[in-house]
Amino acid sequence: HPGEDDDSALILVSATPCTLLRAVEVLGLARPYHNGSMMVFSYEDRASFKQAGTDKNIQKFLTLAERQYLVTRELESLKTQDETFIPGYPKEKLYQGECIFQSLQKRGFLLKFYPLHNKEELDALAKKWYSQTHFAPQPLGSIHAYFGDTIALYFSFLQFFTFSLVPMAVLGALMYLLSWDSVEKYLLFAVFNVVWSTATLEFWKRRSAAAAYGWGTLLLKSQFEEPRGNYWGPMGVNPITKRREPYYPSWKRKLRICLVSGPIVCVFLGIVILGIGTYLWMEEWVQDYHGRNDTLLSLLVLYMPCFIHTIYICLMNSVYKTIAYALTEWASHKHEQGHTLHIIQHTMKFNFVNCFAAMFYITFCLKDMQLLRKRLVSLLVVSQMINQFTESLLPYLLNKLSFQGGTAGKKDHQDEPTIDRIKSEGDIPTFPGMFDDYMELFVQFGYVSLFSCVFPLTAALLVLNNVIEIRTDALKLCRLYQKPFSSPAANIGVWQIAFEMLGFLSVVTNCFLIGIAPEVTEVSASHGVTSFQLLLFTIVVEHALLVLKTVIAFVIPDEPDWVKLKVAQIEYRSLNALKRK
Amino acid sequence: HPGEDDDSALILVSATPCTLLRAVEVLGLARPYHNGSMMVFSYEDRASFKQAGTDKNIQKFLTLAERQYLVTRELESLKTQDETFIPGYPKEKLYQGECIFQSLQKRGFLLKFYPLHNKEELDALAKKWYSQTHFAPQPLGSIHAYFGDTIALYFSFLQFFTFSLVPMAVLGALMYLLSWDSVEKYLLFAVFNVVWSTATLEFWKRRSAAAAYGWGTLLLKSQFEEPRGNYWGPMGVNPITKRREPYYPSWKRKLRICLVSGPIVCVFLGIVILGIGTYLWMEEWVQDYHGRNDTLLSLLVLYMPCFIHTIYICLMNSVYKTIAYALTEWASHKHEQGHTLHIIQHTMKFNFVNCFAAMFYITFCLKDMQLLRKRLVSLLVVSQMINQFTESLLPYLLNKLSFQGGTAGKKDHQDEPTIDRIKSEGDIPTFPGMFDDYMELFVQFGYVSLFSCVFPLTAALLVLNNVIEIRTDALKLCRLYQKPFSSPAANIGVWQIAFEMLGFLSVVTNCFLIGIAPEVTEVSASHGVTSFQLLLFTIVVEHALLVLKTVIAFVIPDEPDWVKLKVAQIEYRSLNALKRK
């Protein structure tokens, strides 16, 4: 085969421009039309699209990430025509209509499968992205071209979120510095918080819609997906395609999730609650200890329970993640999409309880604002240090270490530097996905929107963290992992919903944090307001803020006006095309 | 012209099967495929669809309502090729690309435009629908075939809603008869109410999705709509189609809505609040009067304020509706859809305040359960009597009256009975739309879900009312109005959202009605529970029920499994068709 190396252990797969263009049409991607606006690509009409007329321009017509995705998609949709065998292996039967690529992966004929880095493009991107010393916005266009939609969306969201934190950070810093302690301050901060969290998420939707329009993915319909490589089950008939293939009924999956995953989750939640109990017991002990011996050491000891509990939380998060992956694999989801959704949902619920349960307990049951503040500070500092260490520094050191060990074997291929480089790319670890990074932002958003009114500096600390985070994430993506696959995406999907749910919860916590704040209760008591009236007032404010939040979310359109207009133009044109036919 | 009568005042418009089939393809309606499942219609592939192969079967392939809609759609999309004049009227210029049909309507050349009844089909439908004396479900299939999607959806919803009220009615009647007064009763009723309202709306979604699949409208995409006949504005360039046409910028419309509609709405709300004030003053006066002279007359007088205020509410609703129509017309919405949405939204908000404001005031400010109960009973009885009278009896009497007056002129055409019938159909009033009927259900749903825990017989009364309502609505549709136009629809649209919002509100009212119910406060006081603790408990229950409601809405899928499977099959087939091409 062309593209095969000497010992047949390596096959380079590529595609002709014609194949790529046909794949774009089937996918339904939109591309720039000759008149400048976007249009859903049609192979027949390819001459009317910018840079699609001639084969030479394919690199300008489709980005590197798009071409790599299309090749993968074509490979994954290859199916056998009839019942057949893998050539040379008469025992390995392939049934009719089986996905060849996924089968080879499952049976171990295909060991690794990865897209290649483009050294020059990567270096140019790295230079613009994280190597410059002054502060500049990220080169999102180049990131999108090189890494694809999902990764560009993450970095775009990270940047947007960091920018949106700035007003919050300024307001918080002012409040902290002026030490303005009054009822109005709390009310102002709570209202600002609700408006901020709603507006941030709504404007992000607009931003991502605008970006997705430019990438041609905004109008992408959900595709018929081929089963995952790891999907297994007894042979049956697929009710949609009417093909014979492994078919694992969904009621069995639900049963497995209920009977096995359910109890395991409960056990883990039990361990989490045990941890919280231990933490609160330790907290009481150190308070007592500090009260008895008021020394510098005892002051240090005062922060130990938080420190230990934070590490415990991080540990539990990563242990649970491993188990969630295993359980999800075992539940045998048919499609990649359902698989990912299941993992995200379950880990998110667990992380939510793990990260916030203790804080909710302190807020609503102990009503100890002092402890809540102390905890928030140590969580912010310690968990971010741990994250930066495990996410970037540790893989970097491991990489350095394995690089030194690997130089000996590398010298054999000095005459074939390309094959050598390709092989070495296969040896570095695969990219674990953006899951952990989104999770970190989710927890950050939780700290800011749920609890920042007890510690106004939260936003400022997070801005500082995220400015560094952008660079470490970029470095790790460019240098520490294989080039990841990236599928077309128009939004951040389930994460948007998760952030919005946090936003609703933030109204509740903010209102009750104010209702039980010592400053507020003191002032109201001095004015002869009973605690009953104060509670009633809190409820009224809470309901008013919930209505305000819903109204804001409704009033801000999900797409900018110009995107709406462009989409209407595309739809009008395709309707006309249908009529002419 | 063929279809024209002697004095050229009447044109009968029809379409050939071929034209209809092409229109179906452009519309994107799904039809039964030869293998029994639904498939988006394609003119090229028409031989594969049931009963579409030959021209003779067009009446079986498309229902009467669908054919009438398609003819209207074709007429409304007729455009001039170049700048031209109306033949015979050199002063009436039509610009290039103007919609001919809408222009003729606007300039008064086209006076009336209505679809015709089919006497035999109508009689058969009437017999099955409302003439039978025993109780039977409505012939929804025939209603859909004859009147089309929107009307079939309304009657389907009315029936579904009435059936779903039955368990509520039984539970309420039991509670009323057993006069079981305890805290548990209230809690049980409130939880049942929340589960009931959520489940009803979710199961309705499934029901309407199943119906829409059968009608072929489930997969219908939103269409590019031609401007309304009454749309006006200075000439401009349409940014979507790039055609020259009247163009009224949307910021001007928004300005008009804010500066003129806004204040008028405020004035009306003021009048409503004035009415509530007067009502409460009257209420106090009659209480006082009854206290002084405890006679049968004073007992009757006791119900007078409610009676008068209910009539006042109905009056205000209909006055406001007239004004809302005029204001919406003046705001010059471009498309029928935006126009209807605007009317519904505004009238709904007003009716909500008008119908429920007094009850909220009584509940939350006066906390007078006795008065609330009295008011609910009189509202239920009086407003429904008024509705039945104005909606059906009055038009029926007017119709009888005009029929007697019209017989004299009818005798001229005795030799042409068909033309005579067609003309007489044009003389009866046009159907005002389902707006008032949905509004009535909206208010009913409000009474049941928001306040029925103070008067458990509410649901039983409403079931009784709706059983009659089905017949009177059917009678009025079949006999009192012109045959209405019906556009394809897959769900009840904005009404679904309105009902769901009422559902959320119902959680709040139910919880607080319980929290302030005299039985509950007495019991809790006797157990040493302070009012502060009771309020706290109410809040916790409220938030728990809101979460429960969201979970129920999330857990029940919006479409039945078989519909999901069929939709996936349709999408898979169209993807394959694209690949083969």
Side-chain angles (χ1 to χ4, degrees):
Chain A
H1 285 84
E4 211 169 275
D5 79 334
D6 307 339
D7 43 359
S8 297
L10 189 85
I11 301 179
L12 283 173
V13 182
S14 183
T16 61
C18 170
T19 312
L20 287 175
L21 290 183
R22 286 195 179 276
V24 172
E25 183 184 22
V26 171
L27 183 63
L29 222 55
R31 294 282 98 181
Y33 208 52
H34 63 82
N35 62 2
S37 60
M38 303 294 281
M39 181 89 177
V40 178
F41 183 72
S42 146
Y43 186 75
E44 253 176 75
D45 192 26
R46 63 188 177 283
S48 310
F49 285 84
K50 277 187 185 168
Q51 296 169 323
T54 56
D55 288 356
K56 283 176 197 165
N57 286 335
I58 193 76
Q59 300 204 342
K60 282 183 189 160
F61 183 70
L62 293 167
T63 67
L64 177 64
E66 280 161 353
R67 276 175 279 141
Q68 288 178 336
Y69 172 73
L70 289 170
V71 169
T72 318
R73 208 180 124 87
E74 288 298 299
L75 282 176
E76 283 179 348
S77 63
L78 280 180
K79 281 188 210 71
T80 54
Q81 293 284 342
D82 289 302
E83 216 176 68
T84 180
F85 302 95
I86 295 175
Y89 294 85
K91 278 185 186 165
E92 300 283 348
K93 208 167 96 174
L94 294 171
Y95 56 86
Q96 191 199 339
E98 184 164 354
C99 292
I100 300 169
F101 192 77
Q102 283 90 323
S103 266
L104 292 178
Q105 262 183 320
K106 211 188 312 188
R107 294 167 200 224
F109 288 94
L110 188 71
L111 295 177
K112 282 178 194 167
F113 171 60
Y114 50 93
L116 292 179
H117 271 298
N118 180 325
K119 201 88 184 72
E120 294 91 64
E121 279 190 38
L122 183 63
D123 286 340
L125 176 64
K127 204 173 165 191
K128 279 191 284 179
W129 198 1
Y130 61 85
S131 301
Q132 91 280 34
T133 46
H134 62 280
F135 185 79
Q138 303 174 83
L140 288 172
S142 312
I143 298 172
H144 172 253
Y146 192 81
F147 283 112
D149 297 350
T150 44
I151 285 165
L153 268 176
Y154 167 73
F155 281 99
S156 178
F157 182 64
L158 178 55
Q159 178 171 314
F160 182 84
F161 180 61
T162 308
F163 272 118
S164 78
L165 275 174
V166 170
M168 200 71 176
V170 171
L171 187 75
L174 275 179
M175 280 189 175
Y176 190 80
L177 292 176
L178 298 176
S179 35
W180 171 34
D181 260 345
S182 75
V183 183
E184 289 85 28
K185 164 190 142 179
Y186 280 97
L187 266 180
L188 177 75
F189 204 75
V191 173
F192 183 79
N193 209 327
V194 169
V195 174
W196 172 81
S197 68
T198 318
T200 301
L201 293 175
E202 288 298 315
F203 279 110
W204 164 250
K205 264 193 226 161
R206 291 165 67 92
R207 170 70 68 96
S208 74
Y213 171 76
W215 301 340
T217 54
L218 186 62
L219 289 171
L220 213 63
K221 276 150 214 110
S222 72
Q223 293 290 316
F224 178 80
E225 244 184 313
E226 293 298 339
R228 304 175 56 232
N230 283 338
Y231 179 65
W232 53 267
M235 287 297 277
V237 174
N238 183 325
I240 296 169
T241 61
K242 304 277 161 66
R243 286 198 305 245
R244 270 181 67 77
E245 60 179 39
Y247 182 70
Y248 190 71
S250 88
W251 66 267
K252 274 196 188 172
R253 183 175 311 125
K254 280 176 192 155
L255 205 69
R256 282 196 166 186
I257 291 171
C258 286
L259 292 185
V260 180
S261 304
I264 291 179
V265 172
C266 287
V267 168
F268 265 82
L269 288 181
I271 300 174
V272 166
I273 289 166
L274 217 68
I276 294 172
T278 318
Y279 158 71
L280 289 171
W281 175 79
M282 283 198 296
E283 194 65 60
E284 215 167 291
W285 188 84
V286 295
Q287 294 281 2
D288 189 51
Y289 179 80
H290 181 63
R292 276 184 287 121
N293 338 272
D294 194 358
T295 61
L296 196 67
L297 179 76
S298 75
L299 197 71
L300 210 69
V301 167
L302 210 54
Y303 276 87
M304 283 311 286
C306 273
F307 182 73
I308 295 170
H309 193 227
T310 308
I311 293 178
Y312 180 76
I313 286 176
C314 291
L315 204 75
M316 284 299 292
N317 273 352
S318 69
V319 169
Y320 184 79
K321 208 181 86 178
T322 321
I323 289 179
Y325 269 89
L327 280 179
T328 312
E329 197 64 66
W330 181 67
S332 186
H333 283 269
K334 185 159 182 189
H335 300 299
E336 199 58 50
Q337 220 181 338
H339 182 81
T340 318
L341 194 69
H342 191 253
I343 290 183
I344 291 181
Q345 274 185 352
H346 281 252
T347 322
M348 197 153 56
K349 279 180 213 158
F350 178 81
N351 278 24
F352 179 79
V353 174
N354 195 15
C355 293
F356 298 123
M359 306 189 72
F360 279 116
Y361 185 78
I362 294 170
T363 311
F364 291 109
C365 301
L366 299 185
K367 294 179 186 169
D368 188 343
M369 293 301 107
Q370 227 44 45
L371 183 58
L372 186 64
R373 199 165 294 151
K374 197 177 94 178
R375 200 182 150 75
L376 192 59
V377 178
S378 55
L379 265 177
L380 281 174
V381 176
V382 177
S383 71
Q384 278 167 24
M385 273 163 51
I386 295 177
N387 274 333
Q388 296 283 6
F389 177 75
T390 54
E391 267 186 39
S392 308
L393 204 63
L394 197 66
Y396 182 75
L397 293 176
L398 284 175
N399 186 48
K400 282 271 168 214
L401 220 71
S402 70
F403 192 72
Q404 282 174 348
T407 41
K410 266 178 111 182
K411 279 169 190 162
D412 304 345
H413 282 286
Q414 256 178 351
D415 48 333
E416 280 178 290
T418 314
I419 287 185
D420 188 47
R421 189 171 59 74
I422 290 168
K423 284 198 174 166
S424 80
E425 273 189 34
D427 290 336
I428 53 179
T430 53
F431 184 67
M434 310 289 353
F435 179 82
D436 284 335
D437 303 288
Y438 273 116
M439 202 71 220
E440 215 184 311
L441 290 184
F442 177 74
V443 173
Q444 279 188 8
F445 189 79
Y447 289 149
V448 176
S449 61
L450 299 178
F451 299 108
S452 72
C453 74
V454 297
F455 183 60
L457 278 185
T458 309
L461 280 179
L462 289 180
V463 170
L464 196 72
N465 174 70
N466 286 355
V467 169
I468 305 168
E469 177 94 19
I470 289 178
R471 275 125 206 272
T472 52
D473 278 354
L475 175 78
K476 126 186 139 175
L477 194 63
C478 292
R479 301 293 173 199
L480 304 184
Y481 292 108
Q482 279 176 15
K483 184 168 191 302
F485 283 108
S486 180
S487 45
N491 50 53
I492 56 172
V494 69
W495 291 105
Q496 179 84 33
I497 300 163
F499 279 88
E500 277 169 13
M501 276 167 70
L502 268 192
F504 269 100
L505 202 59
S506 81
V507 176
V508 181
T509 54
N510 273 302
C511 287
F512 286 94
L513 277 175
I514 292 167
I516 57 172
E519 292 87 354
V520 177
T521 45
E522 266 168 42
V523 169
S524 61
S526 69
H527 284 76
V529 179
T530 64
S531 57
F532 179 77
Q533 284 166 326
L534 185 64
L535 184 63
L536 208 61
F537 178 71
T538 312
I539 299 171
V540 173
V541 170
E542 187 211 345
H543 284 82
L545 283 180
L546 281 175
V547 171
L548 174 72
K549 193 178 164 60
T550 317
V551 169
I552 294 175
F554 186 76
V555 164
I556 301 176
D558 285 0
E559 289 172 355
D561 284 346
W562 68 268
V563 172
K564 267 189 205 158
L565 180 66
K566 293 280 183 186
V567 168
Q569 285 174 351
I570 293 177
E571 278 169 359
Y572 174 71
R573 259 186 256 119
S574 34
L575 189 73
N576 267 7
L578 183 68
K579 268 191 186 157
R580 270 200 300 275
K581 202 182 72 181
Chain B
H1 287 82
E4 210 169 277
D5 78 336
D6 306 339
D7 43 358
S8 296
L10 190 85
I11 301 178
L12 282 172
V13 181
S14 185
T16 61
C18 171
T19 312
L20 287 174
L21 291 182
R22 286 196 180 274
V24 171
E25 184 184 21
V26 171
L27 183 63
L29 221 56
R31 294 281 97 180
Y33 209 52
H34 63 81
N35 62 4
S37 61
M38 302 295 279
M39 182 89 176
V40 178
F41 183 71
S42 146
Y43 185 75
E44 250 177 75
D45 191 25
R46 65 188 176 282
S48 309
F49 286 84
K50 276 187 184 168
Q51 295 170 324
T54 57
D55 289 354
K56 283 177 199 163
N57 285 337
I58 193 78
Q59 302 207 337
K60 281 183 190 160
F61 184 69
L62 293 166
T63 67
L64 178 64
E66 281 161 352
R67 276 174 280 142
Q68 288 178 337
Y69 172 73
L70 290 170
V71 169
T72 318
R73 209 179 123 86
E74 288 298 298
L75 281 177
E76 282 178 349
S77 63
L78 280 181
K79 280 189 211 73
T80 54
Q81 293 284 342
D82 288 302
E83 215 175 71
T84 180
F85 301 95
I86 295 175
Y89 294 86
K91 279 185 186 166
E92 301 282 348
K93 207 168 99 175
L94 294 171
Y95 56 86
Q96 190 199 340
E98 183 163 355
C99 292
I100 300 170
F101 192 76
Q102 282 90 324
S103 266
L104 292 179
Q105 261 182 323
K106 212 189 309 186
R107 295 168 199 223
F109 288 94
L110 189 72
L111 295 176
K112 282 177 193 169
F113 171 61
Y114 50 93
L116 291 178
H117 271 298
N118 180 323
K119 200 84 185 74
E120 294 92 64
E121 278 189 40
L122 182 62
D123 286 340
L125 175 63
K127 202 174 165 188
K128 278 191 285 179
W129 198 0
Y130 61 86
S131 302
Q132 92 281 32
T133 45
H134 61 280
F135 185 79
Q138 303 174 83
L140 288 172
S142 311
I143 297 172
H144 172 254
Y146 192 80
F147 283 111
D149 297 352
T150 43
I151 286 165
L153 269 176
Y154 167 73
F155 282 99
S156 180
F157 182 63
L158 178 56
Q159 178 173 314
F160 183 83
F161 180 59
T162 307
F163 272 120
S164 78
L165 275 173
V166 171
M168 200 72 176
V170 170
L171 188 74
L174 276 178
M175 280 188 175
Y176 190 80
L177 292 175
L178 298 177
S179 36
W180 171 34
D181 262 343
S182 74
V183 183
E184 290 85 28
K185 165 191 141 179
Y186 281 97
L187 265 179
L188 177 75
F189 205 74
V191 173
F192 184 78
N193 210 327
V194 169
V195 173
W196 171 82
S197 67
T198 318
T200 300
L201 293 175
E202 288 298 314
F203 279 109
W204 165 249
K205 265 192 223 160
R206 291 165 67 92
R207 170 70 68 94
S208 74
Y213 172 76
W215 301 341
T217 55
L218 187 61
L219 290 171
L220 212 63
K221 276 149 214 114
S222 72
Q223 294 289 316
F224 177 79
E225 244 183 314
E226 293 300 338
R228 303 175 56 231
N230 283 338
Y231 179 64
W232 53 269
M235 288 297 278
V237 174
N238 183 324
I240 296 170
T241 60
K242 304 276 160 65
R243 286 199 305 246
R244 270 182 67 75
E245 59 179 38
Y247 182 70
Y248 190 70
S250 88
W251 64 268
K252 275 197 188 171
R253 183 176 309 126
K254 279 175 193 155
L255 206 68
R256 283 199 165 185
I257 291 172
C258 287
L259 292 186
V260 180
S261 305
I264 291 179
V265 172
C266 287
V267 167
F268 265 84
L269 288 181
I271 300 175
V272 165
I273 290 165
L274 216 69
I276 294 172
T278 316
Y279 157 71
L280 290 171
W281 175 80
M282 282 199 295
E283 194 65 60
E284 214 166 290
W285 187 84
V286 295
Q287 294 279 3
D288 189 50
Y289 180 81
H290 181 64
R292 276 185 286 121
N293 337 273
D294 194 357
T295 60
L296 196 68
L297 178 76
S298 74
L299 198 72
L300 210 70
V301 167
L302 211 55
Y303 276 86
M304 283 312 286
C306 274
F307 182 73
I308 295 170
H309 191 228
T310 308
I311 293 177
Y312 179 76
I313 286 175
C314 291
L315 204 74
M316 284 299 292
N317 272 352
S318 69
V319 170
Y320 184 79
K321 207 181 84 178
T322 320
I323 289 178
Y325 269 90
L327 281 178
T328 312
E329 198 64 65
W330 182 66
S332 186
H333 283 271
K334 185 159 183 189
H335 300 300
E336 200 58 49
Q337 222 181 337
H339 182 81
T340 319
L341 195 70
H342 191 252
I343 290 183
I344 292 182
Q345 275 183 352
H346 281 251
T347 320
M348 199 154 56
K349 279 179 213 159
F350 179 81
N351 279 23
F352 180 79
V353 174
N354 195 14
C355 293
F356 297 124
M359 306 188 74
F360 280 115
Y361 184 78
I362 294 171
T363 312
F364 291 109
C365 301
L366 299 185
K367 295 178 185 171
D368 186 342
M369 292 301 107
Q370 226 45 44
L371 183 57
L372 186 64
R373 199 165 295 152
K374 198 178 93 179
R375 200 182 148 74
L376 192 60
V377 177
S378 56
L379 265 177
L380 281 174
V381 176
V382 178
S383 71
Q384 278 167 23
M385 272 164 53
I386 294 177
N387 273 334
Q388 296 283 6
F389 177 74
T390 55
E391 268 185 41
S392 309
L393 204 61
L394 197 66
Y396 183 74
L397 292 177
L398 284 176
N399 186 49
K400 282 272 169 212
L401 220 70
S402 71
F403 192 71
Q404 282 175 346
T407 41
K410 266 178 109 178
K411 278 169 189 163
D412 304 345
H413 283 287
Q414 257 180 351
D415 49 331
E416 280 176 291
T418 314
I419 288 187
D420 189 46
R421 191 171 58 73
I422 291 168
K423 285 201 171 164
S424 79
E425 272 188 34
D427 290 336
I428 53 179
T430 54
F431 184 68
M434 310 292 348
F435 179 80
D436 283 335
D437 304 289
Y438 273 117
M439 202 70 220
E440 214 183 311
L441 291 184
F442 177 74
V443 174
Q444 279 188 9
F445 189 79
Y447 289 148
V448 176
S449 61
L450 299 177
F451 299 108
S452 73
C453 75
V454 296
F455 182 61
L457 279 186
T458 309
L461 281 179
L462 289 180
V463 169
L464 197 71
N465 175 70
N466 285 355
V467 169
I468 306 168
E469 178 94 20
I470 289 178
R471 276 127 205 271
T472 52
D473 279 354
L475 176 76
K476 126 186 137 178
L477 194 63
C478 293
R479 302 294 174 198
L480 305 185
Y481 293 108
Q482 278 177 14
K483 186 169 191 301
F485 283 109
S486 181
S487 47
N491 50 53
I492 56 173
V494 68
W495 291 104
Q496 179 84 34
I497 301 163
F499 279 89
E500 277 169 12
M501 277 166 70
L502 267 192
F504 270 99
L505 201 59
S506 82
V507 176
V508 180
T509 54
N510 273 301
C511 286
F512 286 93
L513 277 175
I514 293 167
I516 58 173
E519 292 88 352
V520 177
T521 44
E522 266 169 41
V523 169
S524 61
S526 70
H527 284 77
V529 179
T530 63
S531 57
F532 179 79
Q533 284 166 327
L534 185 64
L535 185 63
L536 208 63
F537 178 71
T538 312
I539 300 170
V540 173
V541 170
E542 188 211 344
H543 284 81
L545 283 181
L546 281 176
V547 172
L548 175 71
K549 193 177 165 58
T550 317
V551 169
I552 293 176
F554 185 76
V555 164
I556 301 176
D558 286 359
E559 290 172 354
D561 283 346
W562 68 267
V563 172
K564 269 190 204 156
L565 179 66
K566 293 280 182 184
V567 168
Q569 285 175 351
I570 293 177
E571 277 168 359
Y572 175 71
R573 260 187 255 119
S574 33
L575 189 74
N576 266 9
L578 183 68
K579 268 192 187 158
R580 269 199 302 274
K581 202 182 69 178

